[in-house]
Amino acid sequence: MAETSRRERLERLLADMVAIETENPPGNEGELARFVVDWFAERGIDASLVFEPDADRPQAAARVGDGDPTVVLNGHLDVVPVDDPDAWTHDPYDPTVEDGRMYGRGAVDMKAGLAIAMLVAADLQDDLDSGALDGSVVVHAAIGEETGVPGTETLLEQGYDGDYGVVLEPTGMRTATSAKGLGWYEVIVGGEASHASRPDQGSNAVRNAEPVLDAVAAYDAELRERSDDLVGSAYATVTDFEAGVGSNRGILPETARFTLDRRVLPDESIETVDREVDDMLAAVQREHSVDVEWERDTTYESAAVPVDSPLAETFRAHSADIAGVAPEPFGIKAATDVRNFVNDAGMEAVTWGPGSLAQAHTVDEFVELDAVETGLAVLDGATRELLER
């Protein structure tokens, strides 16, 4: 009966959160942040809305216990936009369970991780309050992870920090001691507008962008030769392209814009990447006489802790014993808020959570409920062990 009750409690909480639309952009996290605070308040747990870094987009934090060590369980509230609901088999905000899977936007990325963090904190409340366990547990429900808004960074700055951090992104319960970084570069290629009936009178920004895109492809091929044992290769990928939008279709576009997504390895600095991007684009300008400007507008730094850190060894051991996950060193190829723990707060932190990252951001996103339930048991056991140190 106890196991069934735990499963039902988990499913209900996850479904309630998936049903609340938190798309970013534009940044609709507020309703879910209030839900999280109310959920903790109903259980007598201290929780607060935090109106920084954006007063219009509150995030939430909760604390159980008041001693050391402190374990911080981090989840983010925001999800990527659905874009085309008609492409989904089920309504993305009407969570549906079929064949042991819960379908819905954010089910795996990462409301499942946030749900088990909330349940672990609530389950540890009696032992922490009675002194049966030392230490404290902090839960983050952060804004803005999907677009680089410093939600987690702000929560840490506001005092919701500790000795250990666990960023609950879906890793299949493998313990990631390193994470790739990311730089988004906005590149503008110039041209000269003219009527399309007189194309030689102007300079088509789309055509001017062709050698720039070729240079990016060559840069990406070079980067793929660089590799980290845990997180794999570096990449440079064009993720959007825009020219002539909103103008008359009979006019040569004056500018072309695209986003260069540069994945950064743990041993690379963002300053070095900036120089590489600048050198690449400057070379195109010289060779092809095109005007190119660039700006890095979003940065997720890479981060790493020692593979044999006590936190990592604890999570690997519990994941192996309870979930049967091979206790091998692992790094996550995506950028996560673990950088804020390691680089900004100087904390020992890992990325770990149930579910598959391959399901994140997809049509018909889902999470395996058996895996989430197992993840709850792993997180509970690992957190208890850390508190007993």
Side-chain angles (χ1 to χ4, degrees):
M1 178 64 72
E3 291 297 312
T4 301
S5 174
R6 182 175 68 172
R7 174 64 167 258
E8 290 175 348
R9 187 172 53 138
L10 176 58
E11 285 192 31
R12 186 180 307 114
L13 175 59
L14 180 55
D16 286 345
M17 292 200 295
V18 171
I20 300 173
E21 184 261 291
T22 57
E23 292 188 0
N24 176 30
N28 296 333
E29 301 99 333
E31 182 181 353
L32 183 54
R34 293 180 172 87
F35 171 90
V36 170
V37 169
D38 290 345
W39 187 92
F40 278 117
E42 290 169 2
R43 289 153 181 81
I45 295 173
D46 182 34
S48 301
L49 292 174
V50 177
F51 290 91
E52 294 182 26
D54 188 332
D56 296 324
R57 293 169 63 182
Q59 51 189 344
R63 186 186 303 273
V64 182
D66 58 7
D68 295 324
T70 299
V71 179
V72 182
L73 306 178
N74 171 271
H76 63 80
L77 298 163
D78 57 324
V79 301
V80 297
V82 167
D83 290 333
D84 182 9
D86 292 337
W88 287 60
T89 304
H90 309 285
D91 184 330
Y93 295 111
D94 182 13
T96 303
V97 176
E98 284 186 0
D99 300 323
R101 297 172 172 177
M102 181 175 291
Y103 290 86
R105 173 58 86 221
V108 75
D109 183 19
M110 60 176 300
K111 292 177 181 178
L114 180 56
I116 64 173
M118 294 165 66
L119 289 168
V120 164
D123 288 346
L124 293 177
Q125 180 183 16
D126 288 345
D127 285 345
L128 288 167
D129 288 347
S130 69
L133 276 177
D134 294 327
S136 54
V137 174
V138 169
V139 176
H140 288 177
I143 67 166
E145 189 275 345
E146 298 291 358
T147 56
V149 174
T152 292
E153 181 181 354
T154 301
L155 291 174
L156 292 166
E157 292 172 348
Q158 293 286 318
Y160 296 103
D161 58 354
D163 301 281
Y164 304 106
V166 185
V167 178
L168 291 153
E169 297 281 5
T171 67
M173 288 179 278
R174 293 173 292 176
T175 303
T177 53
S178 60
K180 274 185 187 176
L182 160 64
W184 278 331
Y185 294 82
E186 296 304 309
V187 181
I188 301 175
V189 182
E192 184 179 352
S194 71
H195 199 285
S197 66
R198 299 186 298 276
D200 294 338
Q201 178 177 310
S203 177
N204 192 331
V206 174
R207 293 293 300 273
N208 293 345
E210 291 176 359
V212 183
L213 296 174
D214 289 342
V216 171
Y219 180 46
D220 178 62
E222 174 192 330
L223 290 176
R224 289 168 184 260
E225 299 300 317
R226 305 180 195 174
S227 185
D228 177 87
D229 289 343
L230 296 184
V231 302
S233 298
Y235 300 108
T237 307
V238 175
T239 57
D240 65 29
F241 186 96
E242 179 181 288
V245 176
S247 181
N248 186 292
R249 290 186 293 176
I251 298 176
L252 271 62
E254 188 173 19
T255 59
R257 302 169 180 263
F258 65 86
T259 299
L260 172 61
D261 178 306
R262 172 61 157 89
R263 298 291 156 154
V264 182
L265 301 182
D267 63 353
E268 295 181 303
S269 72
I270 196 65
E271 292 78 15
T272 298
V273 174
D274 283 350
R275 287 194 294 272
E276 291 180 355
V277 171
D278 189 60
D279 289 347
M280 171 190 66
L281 297 178
V284 177
Q285 285 184 289
R286 290 193 302 270
E287 183 175 352
H288 297 276
S289 299
V290 296
D291 293 327
V292 186
E293 300 176 1
W294 66 270
E295 177 185 12
R296 172 170 47 84
D297 66 1
T298 303
T299 309
Y300 296 71
E301 296 172 338
S302 57
V305 298
V307 172
D308 60 353
S309 69
L311 175 63
E313 290 187 338
T314 298
F315 269 85
R316 278 197 295 267
H318 283 267
S319 296
D321 292 345
I322 298 173
V325 176
E328 299 170 351
F330 172 69
I332 187 168
K333 297 180 180 181
T336 81
D337 278 357
V338 75
R339 70 191 184 282
N340 298 131
F341 289 87
V342 176
N343 300 340
D344 300 321
M347 290 173 57
E348 188 175 327
V350 296
T351 306
W352 174 95
S356 170
L357 189 63
Q359 279 300 313
H361 303 185
T362 61
V363 171
D364 289 333
E365 178 182 346
F366 69 83
V367 68
E368 299 280 356
L369 290 170
D370 283 349
V372 183
E373 185 177 12
T374 302
L376 176 59
V378 173
L379 185 62
D380 183 276
T383 303
R384 286 179 182 274
E385 181 176 329
L386 292 169
L387 293 171
E388 291 169 350
R389 286 184 178 274

